[in-house]
């Protein structure tokens, strides 16, 4: 908060431990519970409420030059809004902070409009907020790369030399990206044979998940025209938490020589709310120093990550309480999301609004 600048407050009561103060305002898509035929509607989160952006738009409250005549909040996904770019995102954020502020009467003092726009979270079903056209999974945590390399290659060369020159990634399966909370069906496939026997076939016996984050693409680029590293941030709308489900026995048998396939393509869970890069700016921090220095197309003047603590909890079926199994932080990521995007397009690959690319497992420097 700048010196002398009052803290922005909402007229909506926000619990002290809420993830959704007026400074956040993430974007998602919901449907009212008990209305399975009702159309999905874009929303933002404020405290224990979802603010219906279709209702806000219909009331004429998006009155800025970029959004006043736009149908983007009357869509069933956020893709159209993402494609409008950063100026429209900033306009939307400024409008929402204004109409939700404690000093603004337009919603605060209009009971009918307020009830039409603010829906209790207990009455909403969150949906996948975007149509994911394409999904790429990177491998950008140096601590995870070292841990994996130590396990598979031993201590001599835990990380391959190319890893320190480019963000390593592979093309994932967009059709199986699902909203967090969706049941995971245990995948079937082949596993390593024992001795001279045929390969094992059946349900995965080593089902696992990876704690990651994923970036959501806004405006894309034309085929054959890379996105410059200096412009990469303007093509990233925001971040979601991601669990990349992995069948390790299937993956280990299939992965040589081309990489993951059935071991990864059955489910990828993402959180329902997309937190914008604008909301994350107060948490920006210096990213790890890169040695050797990256090639010019990956060298960025503003080399930042975000200080986002992350935890994974597991509750076994026979236990009543969940237990934390790992703690880490997004700030440890070696290759930044802007570097990932610039590398993704340097060969001319065209990205589109709603495309998603993930960080890979976000391990930290210490075991926890």
């Amino acid at each position: 908060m700048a010196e002398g600048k009052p803290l922005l407050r909402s007229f909506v009561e926000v619990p002290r431990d809420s993830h959704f103060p007026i400074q956040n305002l993430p974007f998602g898509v919901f449907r009212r519970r008990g209305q399975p035929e009702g159309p999905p509607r874009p929303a933002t989160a404020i405290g224990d409420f979802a603010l219906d952006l279709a209702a806000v738009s219909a009331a004429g409250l998006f009155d800025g030059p970029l959004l006043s005549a736009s149908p983007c909040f009357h869509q069933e996904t956020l893709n159209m809004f993402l494609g409008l770019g950063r100026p429209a995102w900033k306009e939307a954020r400024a409008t929402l902070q204004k109409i939700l502020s404690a000093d603004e009467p337009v919603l605060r003092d209009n009971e009918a409009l307020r009830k039409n726009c603010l829906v209790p979270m207990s009455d909403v079903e969150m949906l996948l907020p975007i149509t994911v056209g394409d999904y790429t999974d990177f491998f950008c945590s140096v601590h995870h790369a070292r841990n994996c390399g130590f396990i598979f290659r031993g201590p001599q060369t835990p990380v391959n030399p190319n890893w320190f020159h480019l963000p390593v990634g592979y093309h994932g399966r967009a059709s199986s990206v699902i909203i967090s909370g969706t049941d995971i069906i245990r995948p079937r496939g082949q596993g390593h044979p024992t001795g001279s026997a045929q390969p094992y076939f059946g349900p995965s016996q080593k089902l696992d998940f990876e704690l990651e984050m994923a970036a959501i693409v806004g405006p894309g680029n034309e085929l054959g025209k890379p996105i410059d590293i200096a412009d990469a941030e303007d093509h990233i709308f925001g971040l979601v938490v991601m669990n990349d489900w992995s069948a390790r026995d299937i993956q280990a048998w299939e992965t040589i020589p081309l990489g993951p396939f059935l071991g990864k393509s059955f489910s990828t869970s993402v959180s329902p709310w997309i937190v914008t890069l604008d909301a994350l700016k107060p948490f920006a921090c210096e990213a790890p120093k890169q040695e050797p220095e990256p090639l010019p197309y990956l060298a960025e003047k503003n080399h930042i990550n975000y200080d986002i603590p992350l935890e994974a909890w597991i509750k076994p079926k026979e236990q009543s309480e969940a237990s934390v199994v790992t703690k880490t932080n997004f700030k440890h990521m070696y290759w930044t999301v802007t570097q990932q995007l610039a590398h993704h397009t340097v060969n001319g690959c065209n990205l589109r609004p709603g495309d998603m690319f993930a960080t890979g497992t976000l391990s930290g420097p210490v075991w926890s």
Side-chain angles (χ1 to χ4, degrees):
M1 181 175 64
E3 186 176 351
K5 185 177 180 180
L7 180 66
L8 185 64
R9 291 176 55 251
S10 173
F11 72 84
V12 178
E13 184 177 351
V14 178
R16 191 175 184 85
D17 60 349
S18 174
H19 292 291
F20 305 128
I22 194 171
Q23 289 79 11
N24 187 354
L25 300 183
F27 288 82
V29 169
F30 79 100
R31 179 187 287 123
R32 290 178 183 262
R33 289 192 186 278
Q35 298 182 13
E37 303 304 320
R41 300 168 77 88
T44 192
I46 179 71
D48 293 331
F49 292 87
L51 181 69
D52 185 337
L53 299 184
V56 171
S57 179
L61 300 186
F62 287 112
D63 56 1
L66 300 176
L67 296 177
S68 60
S70 174
C72 65
F73 294 127
H74 296 277
Q75 310 299 309
E76 295 190 355
T77 71
L78 294 171
N79 289 58
M80 180 183 289
F81 177 54
L82 302 187
L84 295 179
R86 186 163 302 282
W89 308 338
K90 285 182 173 293
E91 184 178 298
R93 178 172 170 82
T95 299
L96 292 171
Q97 287 191 324
K98 177 185 176 182
I99 67 175
L100 288 168
S101 72
D103 300 327
E104 173 60 47
V106 65
L107 269 181
R108 184 195 65 194
D109 297 347
N110 187 330
E111 182 179 3
L113 181 59
R114 192 174 66 246
K115 287 186 175 181
N116 189 43
C117 292
L118 285 168
V119 185
M121 289 286 191
S122 57
D123 293 340
V124 308
E125 173 193 359
M126 297 306 298
L127 307 172
L128 194 65
I130 54 175
T131 298
V132 183
D134 253 313
Y135 157 50
T136 301
D137 196 13
F138 282 99
F139 185 55
C140 290
S141 164
V142 67
H143 306 292
H144 182 59
R146 285 180 177 139
N147 292 340
C148 289
F150 185 87
I151 292 170
F152 292 113
R153 287 186 297 275
Q156 291 76 25
T157 55
V159 184
N160 286 327
N162 71 318
W163 194 93
F164 291 99
H165 291 275
L166 55 85
V168 174
Y170 74 93
H171 189 243
R173 183 71 186 171
S175 63
S176 54
V177 175
I178 54 176
I179 196 71
S180 180
T182 303
D183 287 343
I184 305 298
I185 299 173
R186 185 175 292 270
R188 294 163 60 88
Q190 294 188 29
H192 268 289
T194 301
S196 59
Q198 289 292 307
Y200 164 83
F201 177 78
S204 171
Q205 298 179 354
K206 294 183 178 180
L207 190 59
D208 190 10
F209 69 92
E210 298 177 348
L211 174 58
E212 307 187 23
M213 294 192 75
I216 307 301
V217 175
N221 57 301
E222 293 182 31
L223 182 66
K225 295 186 177 181
I227 296 173
D228 189 276
I229 186 71
D231 302 322
E233 185 179 20
D234 287 337
H235 293 264
I236 300 174
F237 176 65
L239 303 179
V240 293
V241 180
M242 196 186 96
N243 285 159
D244 192 18
W245 295 88
S246 306
R248 298 303 187 190
D249 43 356
I250 297 173
Q251 182 183 355
W253 176 237
E254 73 182 1
T255 198
I256 299 172
L258 292 182
F261 186 46
L262 299 184
K264 290 278 195 175
S265 62
F266 58 96
S267 287
T268 300
S269 303
V270 296
S271 55
W273 295 106
I274 307 172
V275 178
T276 65
L277 292 194
D278 286 327
L280 289 170
K281 283 191 181 299
F283 306 98
C285 59
E286 187 175 350
K289 181 176 176 59
Q290 296 178 324
E291 295 180 349
E293 290 187 6
L295 294 176
Y297 81 92
L298 290 171
E300 50 188 353
K301 293 180 180 179
N302 194 25
H303 184 54
I304 64 167
N305 278 338
Y306 299 94
D307 186 356
I308 306 173
L310 298 165
E311 297 180 352
W313 295 65
I314 292 179
K315 188 182 82 65
K317 186 177 181 180
E318 64 276 6
Q319 294 185 13
S320 59
E321 300 293 332
S323 299
V324 63
V325 293
T326 188
K327 295 182 179 181
T328 185
N329 195 300
F330 189 78
K331 68 183 181 181
H332 299 309
M333 189 170 61
Y334 186 90
W335 293 105
T336 67
V337 290
T338 41
Q339 288 177 316
Q340 291 167 46
L341 184 136
H343 181 68
H344 202 314
T345 67
V346 73
N347 68 340
C349 174
N350 54 321
L351 301 181
R352 295 169 294 186
D355 283 357
M356 184 177 91
F357 58 93
T359 60
T361 300
L362 287 166
S363 296
V366 296
W367 294 96
S368 59

